[in-house]
Amino acid sequence: MRLLSAFCLAFLVSFAPAFAIAPDEILDDPVLEERARGLSANLRCMVCQNQSIDDSDAPLAKDLRVLVRERLVAGDSDDEVIDYLVDRYGEFVLLKPRLGTHTLILWAAAPIALIAGVIGIAMAIRRRKMMTVDPVAAPRLSDEEKKRLEALLNSKGD
């Protein structure tokens, strides 16, 4: 019984984003609707912030979905719709920011942090290996060094 309940809950939750788009928003032309869905999946809901407007049921997300569809029906290309929304709301409306000079740090931060972490770990491992002295690998004293050491030890005892 628990397994069935868990399955039903998972099934309902997996379709929750599909309920965000109201039937009155859906375009009659399936090609335009597919383009609208593709665009709205990559646009951020300004209210929810970490959801696409396709997944959000906030009133502003609905307005943005309608706006995207209106622009597509008017004949705008996908890039023109995106540019229109970026001009109106800023780059924050994009779930994946564009690569540009102002976003270069954002795009470069993760690889740089990863490389720095790998280098840091390698240095820590190397330092740890250097700190542990292997008695077998320690250099042996030559006969001359042994005699000098013995002489020093004997003279210190006097």
Side-chain angles (χ1 to χ4, degrees), residues 106-133:
L106 175 68
W107 285 101
I112 288 171
L114 179 66
I115 291 168
V118 168
I119 290 171
I121 290 171
M123 289 175 63
I125 290 171
R126 184 173 170 210
R127 194 174 313 128
R128 179 173 276 182
K129 282 183 180 179
M130 289 174 62
M131 293 176 94
T132 56
V133 178

PDB file of all heavy atoms in Angstrom, residues 106-133:
ATOM      1  N   LEU A 106      31.378  34.961 -14.253  1.00  0.00           N
ATOM      2  CA  LEU A 106      30.379  33.955 -13.889  1.00  0.00           C
ATOM      3  C   LEU A 106      30.675  32.620 -14.565  1.00  0.00           C
ATOM      4  O   LEU A 106      30.624  31.568 -13.934  1.00  0.00           O
ATOM      5  CB  LEU A 106      28.988  34.458 -14.276  1.00  0.00           C
ATOM      6  CG  LEU A 106      27.823  33.499 -14.091  1.00  0.00           C
ATOM      7  CD1 LEU A 106      27.588  33.262 -12.602  1.00  0.00           C
ATOM      8  CD2 LEU A 106      26.572  34.051 -14.738  1.00  0.00           C
ATOM      9  N   TRP A 107      30.995  32.652 -15.846  1.00  0.00           N
ATOM     10  CA  TRP A 107      31.259  31.428 -16.587  1.00  0.00           C
ATOM     11  C   TRP A 107      32.614  30.823 -16.230  1.00  0.00           C
ATOM     12  O   TRP A 107      32.792  29.607 -16.276  1.00  0.00           O
ATOM     13  CB  TRP A 107      31.194  31.688 -18.098  1.00  0.00           C
ATOM     14  CG  TRP A 107      29.800  31.835 -18.588  1.00  0.00           C
ATOM     15  CD1 TRP A 107      29.146  33.001 -18.868  1.00  0.00           C
ATOM     16  CD2 TRP A 107      28.853  30.790 -18.837  1.00  0.00           C
ATOM     17  NE1 TRP A 107      27.871  32.748 -19.276  1.00  0.00           N
ATOM     18  CE2 TRP A 107      27.657  31.390 -19.264  1.00  0.00           C
ATOM     19  CE3 TRP A 107      28.895  29.414 -18.724  1.00  0.00           C
ATOM     20  CZ2 TRP A 107      26.528  30.669 -19.590  1.00  0.00           C
ATOM     21  CZ3 TRP A 107      27.762  28.691 -19.058  1.00  0.00           C
ATOM     22  CH2 TRP A 107      26.600  29.321 -19.484  1.00  0.00           C
ATOM     23  N   ALA A 108      33.599  31.656 -15.895  1.00  0.00           N
ATOM     24  CA  ALA A 108      34.952  31.162 -15.630  1.00  0.00           C
ATOM     25  C   ALA A 108      35.154  30.734 -14.179  1.00  0.00           C
ATOM     26  O   ALA A 108      36.097  30.006 -13.882  1.00  0.00           O
ATOM     27  CB  ALA A 108      35.977  32.231 -15.999  1.00  0.00           C
ATOM     28  N   ALA A 109      34.305  31.178 -13.275  1.00  0.00           N
ATOM     29  CA  ALA A 109      34.509  30.916 -11.845  1.00  0.00           C
ATOM     30  C   ALA A 109      34.521  29.418 -11.515  1.00  0.00           C
ATOM     31  O   ALA A 109      35.389  28.966 -10.764  1.00  0.00           O
ATOM     32  CB  ALA A 109      33.447  31.631 -11.027  1.00  0.00           C
ATOM     33  N   ALA A 110      33.607  28.663 -12.059  1.00  0.00           N
ATOM     34  CA  ALA A 110      33.534  27.238 -11.721  1.00  0.00           C
ATOM     35  C   ALA A 110      34.769  26.467 -12.200  1.00  0.00           C
ATOM     36  O   ALA A 110      35.369  25.730 -11.411  1.00  0.00           O
ATOM     37  CB  ALA A 110      32.252  26.626 -12.279  1.00  0.00           C
ATOM     38  N   PRO A 111      35.183  26.602 -13.461  1.00  0.00           N
ATOM     39  CA  PRO A 111      36.395  25.880 -13.869  1.00  0.00           C
ATOM     40  C   PRO A 111      37.639  26.328 -13.109  1.00  0.00           C
ATOM     41  O   PRO A 111      38.482  25.501 -12.766  1.00  0.00           O
ATOM     42  CB  PRO A 111      36.537  26.204 -15.364  1.00  0.00           C
ATOM     43  CG  PRO A 111      35.199  26.648 -15.808  1.00  0.00           C
ATOM     44  CD  PRO A 111      34.527  27.238 -14.617  1.00  0.00           C
ATOM     45  N   ILE A 112      37.742  27.622 -12.829  1.00  0.00           N
ATOM     46  CA  ILE A 112      38.904  28.114 -12.079  1.00  0.00           C
ATOM     47  C   ILE A 112      38.903  27.538 -10.671  1.00  0.00           C
ATOM     48  O   ILE A 112      39.940  27.106 -10.161  1.00  0.00           O
ATOM     49  CB  ILE A 112      38.921  29.660 -12.058  1.00  0.00           C
ATOM     50  CG1 ILE A 112      39.284  30.184 -13.449  1.00  0.00           C
ATOM     51  CG2 ILE A 112      39.908  30.185 -11.024  1.00  0.00           C
ATOM     52  CD1 ILE A 112      39.126  31.679 -13.606  1.00  0.00           C
ATOM     53  N   ALA A 113      37.746  27.506 -10.029  1.00  0.00           N
ATOM     54  CA  ALA A 113      37.653  26.939  -8.684  1.00  0.00           C
ATOM     55  C   ALA A 113      37.994  25.451  -8.694  1.00  0.00           C
ATOM     56  O   ALA A 113      38.669  24.957  -7.784  1.00  0.00           O
ATOM     57  CB  ALA A 113      36.256  27.165  -8.117  1.00  0.00           C
ATOM     58  N   LEU A 114      37.550  24.748  -9.713  1.00  0.00           N
ATOM     59  CA  LEU A 114      37.861  23.314  -9.823  1.00  0.00           C
ATOM     60  C   LEU A 114      39.364  23.094  -9.990  1.00  0.00           C
ATOM     61  O   LEU A 114      39.954  22.249  -9.307  1.00  0.00           O
ATOM     62  CB  LEU A 114      37.104  22.701 -11.004  1.00  0.00           C
ATOM     63  CG  LEU A 114      37.350  21.217 -11.250  1.00  0.00           C
ATOM     64  CD1 LEU A 114      36.804  20.392 -10.094  1.00  0.00           C
ATOM     65  CD2 LEU A 114      36.729  20.786 -12.546  1.00  0.00           C
ATOM     66  N   ILE A 115      39.983  23.849 -10.867  1.00  0.00           N
ATOM     67  CA  ILE A 115      41.433  23.719 -11.089  1.00  0.00           C
ATOM     68  C   ILE A 115      42.197  24.072  -9.817  1.00  0.00           C
ATOM     69  O   ILE A 115      43.138  23.375  -9.427  1.00  0.00           O
ATOM     70  CB  ILE A 115      41.869  24.591 -12.280  1.00  0.00           C
ATOM     71  CG1 ILE A 115      41.306  24.009 -13.582  1.00  0.00           C
ATOM     72  CG2 ILE A 115      43.380  24.697 -12.359  1.00  0.00           C
ATOM     73  CD1 ILE A 115      41.436  24.931 -14.781  1.00  0.00           C
ATOM     74  N   ALA A 116      41.784  25.161  -9.146  1.00  0.00           N
ATOM     75  CA  ALA A 116      42.457  25.558  -7.902  1.00  0.00           C
ATOM     76  C   ALA A 116      42.303  24.472  -6.837  1.00  0.00           C
ATOM     77  O   ALA A 116      43.247  24.191  -6.096  1.00  0.00           O
ATOM     78  CB  ALA A 116      41.893  26.883  -7.403  1.00  0.00           C
ATOM     79  N   GLY A 117      41.137  23.858  -6.765  1.00  0.00           N
ATOM     80  CA  GLY A 117      40.924  22.778  -5.797  1.00  0.00           C
ATOM     81  C   GLY A 117      41.801  21.573  -6.070  1.00  0.00           C
ATOM     82  O   GLY A 117      42.389  20.990  -5.153  1.00  0.00           O
ATOM     83  N   VAL A 118      41.909  21.188  -7.334  1.00  0.00           N
ATOM     84  CA  VAL A 118      42.756  20.043  -7.701  1.00  0.00           C
ATOM     85  C   VAL A 118      44.219  20.341  -7.383  1.00  0.00           C
ATOM     86  O   VAL A 118      44.932  19.499  -6.832  1.00  0.00           O
ATOM     87  CB  VAL A 118      42.566  19.688  -9.199  1.00  0.00           C
ATOM     88  CG1 VAL A 118      43.629  18.715  -9.676  1.00  0.00           C
ATOM     89  CG2 VAL A 118      41.178  19.131  -9.435  1.00  0.00           C
ATOM     90  N   ILE A 119      44.662  21.567  -7.704  1.00  0.00           N
ATOM     91  CA  ILE A 119      46.047  21.948  -7.399  1.00  0.00           C
ATOM     92  C   ILE A 119      46.275  21.951  -5.890  1.00  0.00           C
ATOM     93  O   ILE A 119      47.303  21.463  -5.402  1.00  0.00           O
ATOM     94  CB  ILE A 119      46.385  23.320  -8.021  1.00  0.00           C
ATOM     95  CG1 ILE A 119      46.459  23.187  -9.538  1.00  0.00           C
ATOM     96  CG2 ILE A 119      47.694  23.867  -7.471  1.00  0.00           C
ATOM     97  CD1 ILE A 119      46.574  24.516 -10.277  1.00  0.00           C
ATOM     98  N   GLY A 120      45.316  22.482  -5.128  1.00  0.00           N
ATOM     99  CA  GLY A 120      45.437  22.504  -3.667  1.00  0.00           C
ATOM    100  C   GLY A 120      45.520  21.110  -3.075  1.00  0.00           C
ATOM    101  O   GLY A 120      46.346  20.851  -2.185  1.00  0.00           O
ATOM    102  N   ILE A 121      44.699  20.213  -3.561  1.00  0.00           N
ATOM    103  CA  ILE A 121      44.725  18.829  -3.069  1.00  0.00           C
ATOM    104  C   ILE A 121      46.050  18.168  -3.422  1.00  0.00           C
ATOM    105  O   ILE A 121      46.654  17.474  -2.593  1.00  0.00           O
ATOM    106  CB  ILE A 121      43.532  18.029  -3.629  1.00  0.00           C
ATOM    107  CG1 ILE A 121      42.231  18.540  -2.998  1.00  0.00           C
ATOM    108  CG2 ILE A 121      43.703  16.543  -3.398  1.00  0.00           C
ATOM    109  CD1 ILE A 121      40.977  17.978  -3.635  1.00  0.00           C
ATOM    110  N   ALA A 122      46.531  18.381  -4.648  1.00  0.00           N
ATOM    111  CA  ALA A 122      47.810  17.792  -5.063  1.00  0.00           C
ATOM    112  C   ALA A 122      48.957  18.316  -4.195  1.00  0.00           C
ATOM    113  O   ALA A 122      49.835  17.544  -3.779  1.00  0.00           O
ATOM    114  CB  ALA A 122      48.078  18.089  -6.532  1.00  0.00           C
ATOM    115  N   MET A 123      48.942  19.615  -3.893  1.00  0.00           N
ATOM    116  CA  MET A 123      49.990  20.182  -3.049  1.00  0.00           C
ATOM    117  C   MET A 123      49.919  19.636  -1.627  1.00  0.00           C
ATOM    118  O   MET A 123      50.949  19.365  -1.012  1.00  0.00           O
ATOM    119  CB  MET A 123      49.894  21.711  -3.045  1.00  0.00           C
ATOM    120  CG  MET A 123      50.315  22.336  -4.370  1.00  0.00           C
ATOM    121  SD  MET A 123      50.067  24.110  -4.435  1.00  0.00           S
ATOM    122  CE  MET A 123      51.154  24.667  -3.150  1.00  0.00           C
ATOM    123  N   ALA A 124      48.710  19.462  -1.102  1.00  0.00           N
ATOM    124  CA  ALA A 124      48.560  18.926   0.246  1.00  0.00           C
ATOM    125  C   ALA A 124      49.059  17.481   0.313  1.00  0.00           C
ATOM    126  O   ALA A 124      49.734  17.087   1.275  1.00  0.00           O
ATOM    127  CB  ALA A 124      47.103  19.005   0.683  1.00  0.00           C
ATOM    128  N   ILE A 125      48.756  16.697  -0.697  1.00  0.00           N
ATOM    129  CA  ILE A 125      49.219  15.307  -0.726  1.00  0.00           C
ATOM    130  C   ILE A 125      50.737  15.268  -0.824  1.00  0.00           C
ATOM    131  O   ILE A 125      51.398  14.503  -0.111  1.00  0.00           O
ATOM    132  CB  ILE A 125      48.566  14.541  -1.905  1.00  0.00           C
ATOM    133  CG1 ILE A 125      47.079  14.336  -1.622  1.00  0.00           C
ATOM    134  CG2 ILE A 125      49.266  13.215  -2.153  1.00  0.00           C
ATOM    135  CD1 ILE A 125      46.300  13.781  -2.793  1.00  0.00           C
ATOM    136  N   ARG A 126      51.290  16.127  -1.673  1.00  0.00           N
ATOM    137  CA  ARG A 126      52.747  16.171  -1.823  1.00  0.00           C
ATOM    138  C   ARG A 126      53.427  16.594  -0.523  1.00  0.00           C
ATOM    139  O   ARG A 126      54.435  16.020  -0.113  1.00  0.00           O
ATOM    140  CB  ARG A 126      53.105  17.145  -2.940  1.00  0.00           C
ATOM    141  CG  ARG A 126      54.559  17.197  -3.251  1.00  0.00           C
ATOM    142  CD  ARG A 126      54.791  18.048  -4.471  1.00  0.00           C
ATOM    143  NE  ARG A 126      56.201  18.279  -4.628  1.00  0.00           N
ATOM    144  CZ  ARG A 126      56.732  19.345  -5.162  1.00  0.00           C
ATOM    145  NH1 ARG A 126      55.945  20.296  -5.611  1.00  0.00           N
ATOM    146  NH2 ARG A 126      58.023  19.480  -5.260  1.00  0.00           N
ATOM    147  N   ARG A 127      52.870  17.600   0.148  1.00  0.00           N
ATOM    148  CA  ARG A 127      53.433  18.073   1.415  1.00  0.00           C
ATOM    149  C   ARG A 127      53.359  16.976   2.477  1.00  0.00           C
ATOM    150  O   ARG A 127      54.284  16.783   3.249  1.00  0.00           O
ATOM    151  CB  ARG A 127      52.669  19.313   1.878  1.00  0.00           C
ATOM    152  CG  ARG A 127      53.378  20.058   2.978  1.00  0.00           C
ATOM    153  CD  ARG A 127      52.701  21.363   3.351  1.00  0.00           C
ATOM    154  NE  ARG A 127      52.337  22.177   2.201  1.00  0.00           N
ATOM    155  CZ  ARG A 127      51.118  22.665   1.991  1.00  0.00           C
ATOM    156  NH1 ARG A 127      50.141  22.405   2.832  1.00  0.00           N
ATOM    157  NH2 ARG A 127      50.857  23.404   0.947  1.00  0.00           N
ATOM    158  N   ARG A 128      52.258  16.255   2.500  1.00  0.00           N
ATOM    159  CA  ARG A 128      52.102  15.184   3.485  1.00  0.00           C
ATOM    160  C   ARG A 128      53.118  14.072   3.234  1.00  0.00           C
ATOM    161  O   ARG A 128      53.688  13.518   4.175  1.00  0.00           O
ATOM    162  CB  ARG A 128      50.693  14.621   3.442  1.00  0.00           C
ATOM    163  CG  ARG A 128      50.490  13.491   4.433  1.00  0.00           C
ATOM    164  CD  ARG A 128      49.084  13.068   4.489  1.00  0.00           C
ATOM    165  NE  ARG A 128      48.403  13.977   5.415  1.00  0.00           N
ATOM    166  CZ  ARG A 128      47.145  13.878   5.737  1.00  0.00           C
ATOM    167  NH1 ARG A 128      46.399  12.936   5.211  1.00  0.00           N
ATOM    168  NH2 ARG A 128      46.599  14.707   6.574  1.00  0.00           N
ATOM    169  N   LYS A 129      53.346  13.754   1.974  1.00  0.00           N
ATOM    170  CA  LYS A 129      54.335  12.719   1.652  1.00  0.00           C
ATOM    171  C   LYS A 129      55.730  13.163   2.057  1.00  0.00           C
ATOM    172  O   LYS A 129      56.532  12.351   2.502  1.00  0.00           O
ATOM    173  CB  LYS A 129      54.311  12.401   0.155  1.00  0.00           C
ATOM    174  CG  LYS A 129      53.175  11.516  -0.257  1.00  0.00           C
ATOM    175  CD  LYS A 129      53.268  11.182  -1.731  1.00  0.00           C
ATOM    176  CE  LYS A 129      52.120  10.283  -2.154  1.00  0.00           C
ATOM    177  NZ  LYS A 129      52.189   9.973  -3.590  1.00  0.00           N
ATOM    178  N   MET A 130      56.030  14.431   1.884  1.00  0.00           N
ATOM    179  CA  MET A 130      57.357  14.936   2.243  1.00  0.00           C
ATOM    180  C   MET A 130      57.553  14.941   3.752  1.00  0.00           C
ATOM    181  O   MET A 130      58.679  14.799   4.226  1.00  0.00           O
ATOM    182  CB  MET A 130      57.557  16.343   1.677  1.00  0.00           C
ATOM    183  CG  MET A 130      57.706  16.354   0.161  1.00  0.00           C
ATOM    184  SD  MET A 130      57.767  17.999  -0.549  1.00  0.00           S
ATOM    185  CE  MET A 130      59.232  18.646   0.199  1.00  0.00           C
ATOM    186  N   MET A 131      56.487  15.115   4.530  1.00  0.00           N
ATOM    187  CA  MET A 131      56.597  15.191   5.991  1.00  0.00           C
ATOM    188  C   MET A 131      56.812  13.823   6.618  1.00  0.00           C
ATOM    189  O   MET A 131      57.430  13.716   7.664  1.00  0.00           O
ATOM    190  CB  MET A 131      55.366  15.858   6.589  1.00  0.00           C
ATOM    191  CG  MET A 131      55.237  17.322   6.222  1.00  0.00           C
ATOM    192  SD  MET A 131      53.738  18.014   6.857  1.00  0.00           S
ATOM    193  CE  MET A 131      54.367  18.688   8.387  1.00  0.00           C
ATOM    194  N   THR A 132      56.295  12.801   6.009  1.00  0.00           N
ATOM    195  CA  THR A 132      56.492  11.454   6.552  1.00  0.00           C
ATOM    196  C   THR A 132      57.829  10.927   6.065  1.00  0.00           C
ATOM    197  O   THR A 132      58.069  10.805   4.881  1.00  0.00           O
ATOM    198  CB  THR A 132      55.367  10.507   6.101  1.00  0.00           C
ATOM    199  OG1 THR A 132      55.298  10.506   4.682  1.00  0.00           O
ATOM    200  CG2 THR A 132      54.035  10.926   6.680  1.00  0.00           C
ATOM    201  N   VAL A 133      58.709  10.649   7.014  1.00  0.00           N
ATOM    202  CA  VAL A 133      60.053  10.181   6.686  1.00  0.00           C
ATOM    203  C   VAL A 133      60.058   8.666   6.745  1.00  0.00           C
ATOM    204  O   VAL A 133      59.690   8.070   7.745  1.00  0.00           O
ATOM    205  CB  VAL A 133      61.090  10.761   7.669  1.00  0.00           C
ATOM    206  CG1 VAL A 133      62.480  10.223   7.360  1.00  0.00           C
ATOM    207  CG2 VAL A 133      61.056  12.263   7.624  1.00  0.00           C
TER     208      VAL A 133
END
